[in-house]
């Protein structure tokens, strides 16, 4: 074992010791540290001044109680989180996730990933993340409003358009952002539109923000395919999930000529050999808050499955857009066996370490989430720009900005991988490029 390997292994052991019981955070740190070994060999000054140790320690971790009253007048209590991870490049930026699986370790993993994702966008935003173990499913609008108001009653004192700008994530869409923003405005007694992104279009929101993460993943995929003389036009695509990211990834992929042959949700998966009726899917998911089984009941040529896996389908491209660690090594091997040559993560870390190793071993072009799903936060930053200038951009202009940002992210990851003799390894390229920009800023600003 080389001296660099020993140094990184020793540091990782300290991360495990200091952050016990947080496997998702451990996984995210391990992936980045593995990439940084070759940086430390070539540029050893990045080991100075405790830089990596500071990078893996959040600047601030906030945990708070969220009491609220349900429709039966019962008092319920959830736990709220905000991890403000790194502000070297700008105000903390990252979404809020409302899901029963949320705990501090998951929020830390998401916030850590957000540092590098935000860095890759080229925009002046730092990394943070937050959320709660509250489950919006099955709750009335009034219950969700009361929960959001209670959540913001604590969170408001820690955020601001120049300090920390939350957005949505799993379980936090336009409805939740509206309730959160309304309570923030009530508490501060002014209309700080830049304090949250993902807002409604009539009160400070940006066109394309709803579509951005899904669209961005497809733009990244198309760039990745073009390096091999191919494009998404004519490709067969699998998309896991059917939430906001997956829905708009499906829509954009088909708009560019692909056929989406399957999608899913937590209840099962749908086989669509002739493609997806995107307008029907959007209606069911956004207007009726339905399930994929409701889509099958109304669509033609679609089959609903509760056994097997969506990863059993034959395709050229796979876009995992549901949640972390949904795609394991066995799934990855099935995708390889079924002809998949391109994978881009529309969700945050949806592929396990074993899955990424299968893709690497089989020369599958793989776009990690910190690069491929950066479209959402990039467009959130564009929303912040519009709020700051009291302006509103057209859909076409904003979409063009998004496409150019995603193209630049891919090119940056590809170029960096080549510089470190790992051509085609977009995981290494994205990790190193994201890290170096933040690290240079941290070194320039001193030990803080």
């Amino acid at each position: 074992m080389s001296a660099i390997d020993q140094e990184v292994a020793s540091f990782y052991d300290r991360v495990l010791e200091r952050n016990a019981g947080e496997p998702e955070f451990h996984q995210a740190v391990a992936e980045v540290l593995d990439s940084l070994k070759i940086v430390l060999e070539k540029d050893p000054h990045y080991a100075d001044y405790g830089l990596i140790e500071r990078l893996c320690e959040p600047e601030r971790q906030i945990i708070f109680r969220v009491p609220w009253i349900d429709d039966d007048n019962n008092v319920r209590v959830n736990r709220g989180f905000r991890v403000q991870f790194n502000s070297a490049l700008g105000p903390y930026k990252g979404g809020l996730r409302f899901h029963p699986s949320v705990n501090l370790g998951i929020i830390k993993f998401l916030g850590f990933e957000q540092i590098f994702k935000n860095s890759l966008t080229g925009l002046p935003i730092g990394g943070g993340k937050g959320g709660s173990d509250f489950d919006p499913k099955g709750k009335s609008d009034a219950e969700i409003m009361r929960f959001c108001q209670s959540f913001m009653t604590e969170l408001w004192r820690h955020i601001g358009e120049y300090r920390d700008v939350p957005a949505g994530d799993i379980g936090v869409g336009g409805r939740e952002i509206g309730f959160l923003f309304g309570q923030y405005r009530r508490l501060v007694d002014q209309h700080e539109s830049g304090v949250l992104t993902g807002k409604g279009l009539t009160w400070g929101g940006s066109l394309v923000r709803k579509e951005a993460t899904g669209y961005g993943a497809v733009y990244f995929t198309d760039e990745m395919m073009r390096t091999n003389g191919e494009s998404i036009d004519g490709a067969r695509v699998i998309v896991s999930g059917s939430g906001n990211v997956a829905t708009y990834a499906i829509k954009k992929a088909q708009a560019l000529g692909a056929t989406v042959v399957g999608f899913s949700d937590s209840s099962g998966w749908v086989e669509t050999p002739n493609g997806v009726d995107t307008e029907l899917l959007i209606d069911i998911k956004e207007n009726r808050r339905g399930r994929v089984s409701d889509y099958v009941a109304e669509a033609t040529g679609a089959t609903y499955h509760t056994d097997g896996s969506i990863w059993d389908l034959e395709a050229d491209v796979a876009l995992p857009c549901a949640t972390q660690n949904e795609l394991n090594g066995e799934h990855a091997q099935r995708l390889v066996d079924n002809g998949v040559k391109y994978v881009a993560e529309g969700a945050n870390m949806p592929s396990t370490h074993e899955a990424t190793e299968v893709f690497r071993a089989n020369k599958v072009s793989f776009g990690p989430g910190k690069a491929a799903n950066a479209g959402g936060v990039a467009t959130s930053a564009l929303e912040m720009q519009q709020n700051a200038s009291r302006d509103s951009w057209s859909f076409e202009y904003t979409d063009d900005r998004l496409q150019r940002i995603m193209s630049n992210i891919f090119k940056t990851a590809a170029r960096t991988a080549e510089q470190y003799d790992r051509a085609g390894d977009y995981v290494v390229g994205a990790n190193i490029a994201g890290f170096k920009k933040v690290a240079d800023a941290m070194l320039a600003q001193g030990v803080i």
Side-chain angles (χ1 to χ4, degrees), residues 4 7 12 147 157 187 320:
I4 292 293
E7 184 177 356
Y12 183 62
F147 172 82
R157 69 189 78 242
L187 290 164

Side-chain angles (χ1 to χ4, degrees), residues 1-7 41:
M1 183 181 288
S2 71
I4 292 293
D5 287 336
Q6 289 177 339
E7 184 177 356
E41 289 173 355

Side-chain angles (χ1 to χ4, degrees), residues 107-373:
I107 297 300
K108 284 169 67 176
F109 127 64
L110 292 167
F112 184 72
E113 289 278 293
Q114 201 78 41
I115 299 169
F116 309 103
K117 182 190 305 184
N118 293 0
S119 171
L120 286 167
T121 67
L123 300 166
I125 44 178
K129 205 75 177 185
S132 173
D133 56 2
F134 172 77
D135 188 358
K137 286 184 181 176
K139 305 294 192 302
S140 69
D141 286 352
E143 288 176 320
I144 290 172
M145 180 184 70
R146 290 192 290 272
F147 172 82
C148 289
Q149 289 175 340
S150 181
F151 184 88
M152 184 55 78
T153 298
E154 173 60 32
L155 184 66
W156 76 275
R157 69 189 78 242
H158 307 291
I159 63 176
E161 60 183 312
Y162 301 110
R163 178 191 295 177
D164 184 353
V165 184
D169 193 82
I170 293 173
V172 179
R175 172 183 55 177
E176 290 77 16
I177 291 293
F179 293 147
L180 291 165
F181 182 74
Q183 183 70 353
Y184 180 85
R185 191 169 58 81
R186 178 193 209 179
L187 290 164
V188 301
D189 195 27
Q190 61 188 44
H191 197 293
E192 277 188 36
S193 57
V195 76
L196 283 165
T197 56
K199 301 181 294 297
L201 295 177
T202 59
W203 41 279
S206 172
L207 290 163
V208 189
R209 178 59 190 90
K210 178 171 64 174
E211 298 88 351
T213 309
Y215 277 24
V218 173
Y219 292 147
F220 185 95
T221 304
D222 196 42
E223 288 281 349
M224 190 163 58
M225 296 178 76
R226 288 181 185 279
T227 64
N228 294 325
E230 301 182 283
S231 80
I232 203 163
D233 186 7
R236 296 167 302 163
V237 180
I238 303 167
V239 180
S240 69
S242 59
N244 181 272
V245 178
T247 297
Y248 286 99
I250 291 169
K251 182 175 181 178
K252 178 54 68 173
Q254 294 199 161
L256 295 180
T259 300
V260 175
V261 297
F263 62 95
S264 63
D265 67 11
S266 58
S267 68
W269 57 283
V270 179
E271 186 174 2
T272 55
N274 300 317
V276 177
D277 182 339
T278 56
E279 296 310 311
L280 174 61
L281 179 61
I282 290 170
D283 179 49
I284 287 172
K285 298 303 294 185
E286 292 189 0
N287 300 327
R288 301 187 236 168
R289 301 188 186 278
R291 309 291 284 166
V292 296
S293 54
D294 300 319
Y295 172 87
V296 173
E298 298 183 38
T300 57
T303 309
Y304 179 63
H305 302 268
T306 55
D307 57 348
S309 167
I310 191 171
W311 310 122
D312 295 332
L313 292 171
E314 293 185 2
D316 307 298
V317 176
L319 303 177
C321 294
T323 191
Q324 68 267 8
N325 291 327
E326 59 170 300
L327 198 163
N328 61 31
E330 181 182 342
H331 296 146
Q333 190 59 55
R334 285 187 215 156
L335 289 175
V336 170
D337 293 342
N338 287 331
V340 168
K341 296 187 292 182
Y342 301 93
V343 178
E345 296 185 318
N348 291 296
M349 204 172 71
S351 306
T352 66
H353 175 71
E354 291 74 21
T356 60
E357 288 303 308
V358 170
F359 295 141
R360 183 176 279 142
N362 288 275
K363 295 183 169 32
V364 172
S365 295
F366 177 71
K370 61 174 61 71
N373 94 337

